[in-house]
Amino acid sequence: MLLPKTSFALWSEPAEREAPFRERCTSELYDWQWKNAKGPLFVLHDGPPYANGNLHTGHALNKILKDIINRFHVLQGRRVSYVPGWDCHGLPIESKALEELKAGHEQVPPAKIREMARKVASRAIDIQREEFKQFGIMADWSDQGTYRTFDHDYEIRQLRVFQELVRKGLIYRHYRPVYWSPSSKSALAEAELNYEDNHRSFTVYVKFPVVKSGLSDGLRSALQAIQASEDEPVYFAIWTTTPWTLPANMALSVNPELEYVLVRRQEHPEEGLLVMGKERVAALSKLMGSMDVLTTLQGRDLLDTKYTHMFNPTGSALTPHVVPWNMVKEDSGTGIVHMAPAHGAEDYTALKALGYLKDVPIVCPVDADGRYTSEVVTLSSSGSATTVGESLVDKEVMGDGSKSMVKILETSDLLLAQETIKHRYPYDWKTKKPIIVRATSQWFASLENIKDAALSSLDDVAFHPEVSRSRLTSFVRERSEWCISRQRTWGIPIPALYDVETDEAILTPESLDHIISVLNEKGVQHWFEGPVTDFIPPSLLGSSRTFTKGKDTIDVWFDSGVSWSLLRDILPKDGVEREFLADVCLEGSDQHRGWFQSLLLTAVGTAESGKSKSPYKHLITHGFALDDKGKKMSKSIGNVISPLTIINGGKDKRKEPAYGADALRLWAASVEYGRDVSIGPKILAQSSDALKKIRNTVRFVLANVRDGSAIDSSSSSNLVEKDAMSLADRYVMDQLLQVETTCKDAYASYNFAKVVATLNSFVANTLSSLYFDITKDCLYADAADSPRRRAVLQVLNETLRTLIPIVAPILPHLAEEVHHTLTCRDNVVPALSVFALGWKSVDPSWCDETVVARMQHLLLARSRVNELLEDARRQKHIGGSLEASLQIVLPDAELVRGQHPIAEALVAEANSLATLFIVSDVQILKHGSSSLQASQPMCEGIITDGKAEICIRVMPPADAKCPRCWQRNRPKDQELCDRCVTVVKS
């Protein structure tokens, strides 16, 4: 018997089976393909992960998807450029540095903080680099083959990009409200916010006293019409979810087109009259008690009415009054909006457009820690209010400050009603704490003049999935500016000089030329350590002005966003101008408001006029990794799964087995990554089982081709011609062609789940359940050089050589192990990786619709035969299927071509039916045949074939069992069956 034999292990520990091939298929492969690939350049640009902490499952999903893409292109003969990077600046690293220094910002000089932050980031990079390697990521992982945003060349390149934006007039400084994180003590961009749906806020309804001497004509007429007493107080009723912003109130706004009413509360007639939106009376009555509506007036009738409040600035050139704003709605609040331009971007924009803030400074009594400053004391119009202000100083506005404000309103008899509500509120995405809006002097990049070009450039970009296009375009369309300054030490400085006396900022292309040249020579650290005189440009050296260096650093999104300039400088100049710097960028869905934007905006912003181009050709988005219940992973919940634990196993291997990198990679490839994906013990076990099935399939082939030795000596003259092959052989080759072309197209369109599904179906259904089953007898019992067996080996060999490149991008360790098994001779390791062999295309001539159609009809018959054999087995007539023979009874009428496809196929393949059905013999008979009366069937059934019926009869075999091949076709007077006699003799 020619029993299978291979050195390829059935299963082994991941460390044993993967580690020997890791270098070969990662760093060594990257170096080989970079030096030897002759195809066109393919660039996958790596969005840099943050250099902080260990890797999580999201990192694994991201890097593995990128690696699959790169490996596919290596197999296509392309030269792949992939430079892994790290984002190295920002608050989390700075905070860790201060923890290690055991000090606060005020206690440690910036240079020392930066020195420690660099160590913290470098340490994290070293850890993450080694962890990435365990995922089997193909790259040059040396310092020379990777990038970091704190590298000197990178920092200087970033400052040059910044200088170009300054030259184009896109960078400016302004005092205005920005998102401010008290927990980070820094301004934030929209992209740095997460929104929490269950944030709790105090919401209050407050009375603002009307100044009787400052009544508008419309309000005066309304009061006269209802004969209101001149002594009766009149109040504007306002509503806010941020009572802490009341000291910064500078105006009230109404919609000129809406109707407003004067009301008196029935339970509090002594308090006076309230002004509110007419449509809000019914809803507000539930909170404030029943009201009598006295008269109605238009919003425009209230304009310019003056009012006061507890924190009305004393001696201010501006007396607050009512202004028009069409954004005021009547579906919430009171219809009158409290406007604090220091704490609301919309308030600021509306009042600025009205010229309201032209000659008056914005009131902002809140500091960088989110606490009331002493300014809140001076914002008063009476002695009692000064005391009120003192009770607020140094209180957190998002905490005790808000509570104290509500108490002050209550004791001052200005509180109409209060509630605690749950609503959506922005949080700092790094510290996970709520932010505020606060007016500060910040640096901005203007987007108004470049966003049309940016949006236009996205027309040429392919989005995967396509629905993500609208997400990115909407984010870009809605932005008018980008706050790029941060109040942090660990980052790239905004190299501005400030006049000490006037606070004028010096930031020009010329000043930057000088400063960048100094930093290029001495390092960016010199900005924090060197004297200001080093940075004063020659044109200002002779002036009597005194300058100081700016302390702001650049937003980390700008850091990573200029990484396209790295590609511009490092990609080979081969004389071919690239339309896009990067063929592919692939990141998580959160990067539509982060890196995808900053990459696009900085590239378009610095492009020559009329030459704006997206830096990426394909933009691929993946979702977040969730647990197997669809919940976000969290240490507090205890549902975090480390990718390193998946690969190497946990402390208790029974609970956390070691699955290896390929199992993790197979999971990443099999999920529909365009949306959030789940991972957990059951899912990983399924992935491991799928890997085992692929491995066992490969092992079956290796064992039958004797690790390649059974076919190494076969010359072309020994090949079996297609026409001499069985229907099953030709069917498998047709299906192999379909698998190869389907998988190639799926890889090219980044549909890796389709690759896995196609592969799994072929392995499970076409090979394991069909072809392997029906060819074992031939492989084990036929003569070694029989045409039938050589044909099967030929198909198996072709299948193996085709499948290995298909699985290689997803399962590189398995592919290398198979390649090693096939090519290693006398313990000499093959010189090249399996990827050096390239993609294996199947000859298109194997496509044969006639073969497929005939085989599908036979498989319908096979399915019915298997049901009948199982019935016979349940009735204990047989043990295995070889203990049965079949009688297939066709209709008496002549077969009409095309009307009885199953019968036609059975007749055409009569000689191979026993092999296909795995029985000892098959007879095809007509109704009325004498053989039908010879014995009773063990069981029988019907197959419908067009309008006719085919009867399948399961019969006991006529001959004895052959002890060599176990078929029941041995004449009783022989020791072996005829086939085995011939084989043994030869």
Side-chain angles (χ1 to χ4, degrees):
M1 295 291 282
L2 296 170
L3 296 177
K5 183 179 180 181
T6 178
S7 61
F8 189 82
L10 180 64
W11 192 249
S12 58
E13 285 300 312
E16 296 176 13
R17 69 174 184 263
E18 293 182 348
F21 305 104
R22 186 152 293 149
E23 285 296 316
R24 165 176 290 268
C25 70
T26 55
S27 57
E28 290 178 11
L29 174 59
Y30 187 85
D31 181 65
W32 176 88
Q33 65 87 28
W34 186 251
K35 293 175 180 176
N36 294 280
K38 305 301 182 186
L41 182 67
F42 174 83
V43 181
L44 195 153
H45 184 37
D46 191 39
Y50 198 61
N52 183 30
N54 295 91
L55 301 179
H56 53 67
T57 312
H59 287 114
L61 177 66
N62 177 270
K63 275 292 194 287
I64 290 169
L65 292 176
K66 292 174 182 176
D67 192 58
I68 291 170
I69 294 170
N70 285 335
R71 290 178 180 277
F72 171 70
H73 284 286
V74 168
L75 286 167
Q76 299 305 309
R78 300 187 71 174
R79 190 183 187 198
V80 170
S81 171
Y82 176 64
V83 182
W86 279 275
D87 195 357
C88 306
H89 295 122
L91 179 68
I93 293 173
E94 187 170 327
S95 298
K96 281 197 173 184
L98 289 169
E99 283 179 21
E100 296 198 15
L101 290 168
K102 298 179 180 178
H105 276 95
E106 302 79 9
Q107 302 164 292
V108 185
K112 192 169 184 180
I113 295 174
R114 289 175 59 82
E115 181 183 351
M116 180 56 74
R118 178 177 285 272
K119 290 179 180 177
V120 169
S122 298
R123 192 163 60 233
I125 289 170
D126 289 341
I127 291 170
Q128 291 186 2
R129 188 199 318 258
E130 293 307 310
E131 292 179 343
F132 278 133
K133 287 181 182 179
Q134 293 189 56
F135 299 164
I137 308 300
M138 180 191 68
D140 175 2
W141 287 104
S142 69
D143 285 347
Q144 293 72 34
T146 54
Y147 76 93
R148 291 143 295 278
T149 59
F150 67 30
D151 290 343
H152 175 75
D153 289 346
Y154 191 99
E155 291 179 329
I156 297 302
R157 191 184 296 110
Q158 176 177 336
L159 289 171
R160 289 296 183 194
V161 171
F162 181 77
Q163 180 185 23
E164 181 60 18
L165 295 176
V166 170
R167 189 185 69 79
K168 290 194 167 191
L170 297 175
I171 305 297
Y172 59 91
R173 185 180 180 229
H174 200 39
Y175 184 79
R176 57 151 294 169
V178 296
Y179 295 116
W180 184 269
S181 171
S183 55
S184 297
K185 293 185 182 179
S186 179
L188 299 178
E190 170 70 29
E192 296 176 291
L193 305 180
N194 276 337
Y195 285 84
E196 294 290 336
D197 292 326
N198 295 314
H199 179 81
R200 290 179 178 270
S201 289
F202 293 110
T203 176
V204 294
Y205 297 82
V206 183
K207 297 186 291 188
F208 275 34
V210 171
V211 176
K212 286 296 185 71
S213 61
L215 293 174
S216 65
D217 292 341
L219 183 54
R220 182 179 290 107
S221 297
L223 290 171
Q224 290 172 351
I226 62 173
Q227 299 180 346
S229 166
E230 290 187 8
D231 297 330
E232 185 170 22
V234 180
Y235 301 94
F236 287 114
I238 69 97
W239 170 76
T240 179
T241 60
T242 54
W244 61 269
T245 64
L246 291 173
N249 174 272
M250 295 183 70
L252 296 177
S253 60
V254 298
N255 190 323
E257 305 305 318
L258 297 182
E259 289 186 311
Y260 290 80
V261 291
L262 278 164
V263 303
R264 180 180 285 115
R265 293 201 291 172
Q266 292 176 5
E267 296 178 9
H268 304 278
E270 75 289 347
E271 78 175 344
L273 305 176
L274 300 176
V275 182
M276 63 180 63
K278 181 180 179 180
E279 294 297 321
R280 299 303 301 155
V281 172
L284 295 176
S285 294
K286 298 175 183 178
L287 290 169
M288 304 178 190
S290 298
M291 305 179 197
D292 294 323
V293 177
L294 305 179
T295 189
T296 301
L297 62 166
Q298 291 296 119
R300 66 178 66 91
D301 296 329
L302 299 172
L303 298 180
D304 297 323
T305 297
K306 294 179 173 57
Y307 67 93
T308 186
H309 60 85
M310 289 188 299
F311 301 94
N312 183 24
T314 304
S316 170
L318 173 73
T319 301
H321 59 267
V322 178
V323 300
W325 195 19
N326 290 331
M327 294 296 290
V328 177
K329 305 296 182 185
E330 56 186 3
D331 56 357
S332 62
T334 65
I336 302 173
V337 173
H338 142 67
M339 304 188 81
H343 302 302
E346 291 180 338
D347 297 4
Y348 169 84
T349 302
L351 291 178
K352 185 181 179 184
L354 291 169
Y356 199 93
L357 305 176
K358 187 175 181 181
D359 302 314
V360 181
I362 297 175
V363 178
C364 183
V366 178
D367 66 14
D369 292 316
R371 297 175 182 272
Y372 284 117
T373 66
S374 58
E375 185 183 3
V376 77
V377 177
T378 62
L379 296 177
S380 58
S381 57
S382 67
S384 62
T386 302
T387 305
V388 165
E390 287 176 346
S391 70
L392 294 173
V393 174
D394 206 35
K395 288 187 176 178
E396 291 186 3
V397 298
M398 293 295 288
D400 290 342
S402 286
K403 295 176 183 177
S404 296
M405 181 60 68
V406 175
K407 290 179 181 177
I408 289 169
L409 294 170
E410 205 166 13
T411 56
S412 302
D413 197 28
L414 294 173
L415 184 67
L416 291 166
Q418 64 173 307
E419 296 177 287
T420 300
I421 62 169
K422 283 184 180 180
H423 64 127
R424 200 164 183 260
Y425 192 85
Y427 276 58
D428 183 330
W429 81 331
K430 290 294 186 184
T431 65
K432 314 300 182 190
K433 294 184 178 179
I435 61 102
I436 61 175
V437 175
R438 172 176 174 260
T440 62
S441 287
Q442 299 292 338
W443 289 96
F444 296 87
S446 174
L447 305 180
E448 284 293 353
N449 295 331
I450 66 170
K451 67 180 179 181
D452 285 345
L455 290 168
S456 178
S457 72
L458 290 177
D459 292 341
D460 299 324
V461 176
F463 285 76
H464 310 268
E466 175 60 29
V467 293
S468 64
R469 179 186 298 276
S470 61
R471 183 171 169 83
L472 180 57
T473 55
S474 65
F475 278 131
V476 173
R477 188 178 292 112
E478 291 166 7
R479 293 184 78 177
S480 59
E481 61 185 7
W482 174 4
C483 180
I484 61 169
S485 51
R486 297 291 181 272
Q487 288 61 56
R488 293 170 188 157
T489 300
W490 178 231
I492 306 297
I494 293 180
L497 300 174
Y498 295 88
D499 187 305
V500 172
E501 185 175 341
T502 65
D503 196 40
E504 177 193 357
I506 308 298
L507 188 69
T508 66
E510 293 73 27
S511 70
L512 287 172
D513 249 347
H514 173 73
I515 292 170
I516 294 173
S517 66
V518 172
L519 297 179
N520 191 31
E521 179 186 348
K522 299 187 176 182
V524 170
Q525 184 76 355
H526 190 63
W527 179 262
F528 300 90
E529 296 176 335
V532 69
T533 52
D534 282 2
F535 302 102
I536 299 174
S539 60
L540 295 176
L541 277 176
S543 71
S544 59
R545 300 164 71 182
T546 304
F547 296 98
T548 186
K549 294 176 292 180
K551 296 181 179 178
D552 292 339
T553 55
I554 301 177
D555 176 17
V556 292
W557 287 118
F558 193 98
D559 287 11
S560 58
V562 302
S563 58
W564 56 265
S565 63
L566 172 77
L567 299 180
R568 179 193 62 192
D569 293 349
I570 69 169
L571 290 179
K573 308 296 187 290
D574 51 9
V576 179
E577 185 176 350
R578 292 180 61 81
E579 185 179 5
F580 299 90
L581 285 170
D583 291 286
V584 169
C585 286
L586 182 155
E587 299 300 332
S589 56
D590 55 334
Q591 297 307 318
H592 288 114
R593 58 177 189 163
W595 187 63
F596 290 158
Q597 264 195 81
S598 62
L599 204 64
L600 175 70
L601 295 172
T602 54
V604 171
T606 54
E608 294 180 32
S609 179
K611 294 186 177 181
S612 299
K613 199 72 182 174
S614 163
Y616 35 73
K617 181 178 181 180
H618 292 268
L619 202 60
I620 305 175
T621 305
H622 65 77
F624 293 97
L626 310 175
D627 72 7
D628 49 7
K629 295 181 178 63
K631 293 181 179 178
K632 186 177 179 180
M633 292 191 188
S634 167
K635 290 182 180 177
S636 59
I637 299 176
N639 62 345
V640 174
I641 301 177
S642 164
L644 276 301
T645 301
I646 294 171
I647 293 171
N648 302 314
K651 293 180 179 178
D652 186 345
K653 293 293 194 293
R654 289 173 299 178
K655 293 182 178 179
E656 296 178 316
Y659 290 112
D662 276 356
L664 178 63
R665 293 174 65 96
L666 187 56
W667 163 79
S670 65
V671 296
E672 296 287 347
Y673 65 78
R675 50 179 178 257
D676 290 348
V677 299
S678 294
I679 188 169
K682 289 183 179 178
I683 294 170
L684 286 169
Q686 291 168 358
S687 179
S688 179
D689 287 344
L691 176 58
K692 287 177 181 178
K693 287 178 182 176
I694 295 172
R695 185 179 180 88
N696 288 344
T697 298
V698 168
R699 186 173 186 273
F700 177 89
V701 178
L702 283 170
N704 281 286
V705 299
R706 300 295 176 98
D707 292 348
S709 63
I711 52 171
D712 280 348
S713 59
S714 296
S715 66
S716 58
S717 61
N718 289 329
L719 293 177
V720 179
E721 294 296 328
K722 184 191 305 183
D723 292 343
M725 287 184 171
S726 72
L727 179 72
D729 297 333
R730 286 176 287 153
Y731 173 73
V732 170
M733 288 304 300
D734 175 277
Q735 295 301 288
L736 183 64
L737 171 62
Q738 307 312 316
V739 168
E740 184 259 317
T741 54
T742 298
C743 289
K744 185 176 182 179
D745 291 344
Y747 272 126
S749 59
Y750 315 109
N751 190 349
F752 312 130
K754 187 173 183 179
V755 174
V756 174
T758 302
L759 186 66
N760 285 342
S761 176
F762 181 69
V763 164
N765 301 322
T766 305
L767 295 182
S768 296
S769 297
L770 176 63
Y771 195 63
F772 290 176
D773 246 10
I774 67 176
T775 57
K776 285 177 182 176
D777 175 71
C778 163
L779 288 168
Y780 302 168
D782 274 13
D785 61 348
S786 74
R788 185 171 74 153
R789 187 172 185 277
R790 282 194 290 113
V792 173
L793 288 176
Q794 203 169 304
V795 172
L796 291 179
N797 181 54
E798 190 74 11
T799 299
L800 182 64
R801 307 284 177 171
T802 303
L803 288 186
I804 293 311
I806 292 176
V807 304
I810 298 169
L811 308 173
H813 302 93
L814 174 63
E816 291 290 358
E817 188 181 358
V818 174
H819 177 61
H820 178 85
T821 302
L822 285 170
T823 56
C824 181
R825 295 289 180 268
D826 301 320
N827 295 318
V828 177
V829 177
L832 296 178
S833 161
V834 66
F835 288 86
L837 302 179
W839 185 267
K840 176 73 165 61
S841 296
V842 179
D843 187 341
S845 67
W846 284 108
C847 180
D848 193 326
E849 294 179 1
T850 303
V851 165
V852 173
R854 179 174 291 179
M855 193 67 185
Q856 286 175 343
H857 292 131
L858 291 179
L859 290 177
L860 287 174
R862 186 174 190 262
S863 177
R864 185 68 178 115
V865 166
N866 285 341
E867 291 174 2
L868 294 172
L869 291 172
E870 186 58 33
D871 284 346
R873 189 177 289 112
R874 274 197 300 269
Q875 295 172 33
K876 301 190 183 305
H877 293 309
I878 62 172
S881 62
L882 289 175
E883 295 176 17
S885 61
L886 299 178
Q887 289 182 340
I888 298 177
V889 185
L890 302 180
D892 284 334
E894 289 297 319
L895 296 178
V896 179
R897 186 174 178 82
Q899 292 186 9
H900 305 93
I902 298 178
E904 289 179 32
L906 290 168
V907 171
E909 299 297 325
N911 292 335
S912 60
L913 294 182
T915 297
L916 180 64
F917 298 150
I918 316 179
V919 293
S920 288
D921 185 42
V922 175
Q923 290 179 295
I924 296 181
L925 306 171
K926 290 276 190 176
H927 276 294
S929 169
S930 59
S931 298
L932 295 178
Q933 314 303 322
S935 61
Q936 289 297 312
M938 292 185 280
C939 56
E940 61 184 340
I942 298 297
I943 301 174
T944 302
D945 185 23
K947 294 181 179 179
E949 290 184 342
I950 299 172
C951 180
I952 307 291
R953 308 177 84 215
V954 179
M955 309 294 293
D959 294 325
K961 178 181 178 180
C962 174
R964 180 173 181 269
C965 69
W966 292 13
Q967 299 233 14
R968 269 32 178 212
N969 54 12
R970 174 178 67 86
K972 293 182 172 57
D973 59 347
Q974 292 183 192
E975 186 178 352
L976 300 174
C977 68
D978 292 340
R979 186 262 312 261
C980 289
V981 168
T982 303
V983 172
V984 170
K985 283 182 178 179
S986 64

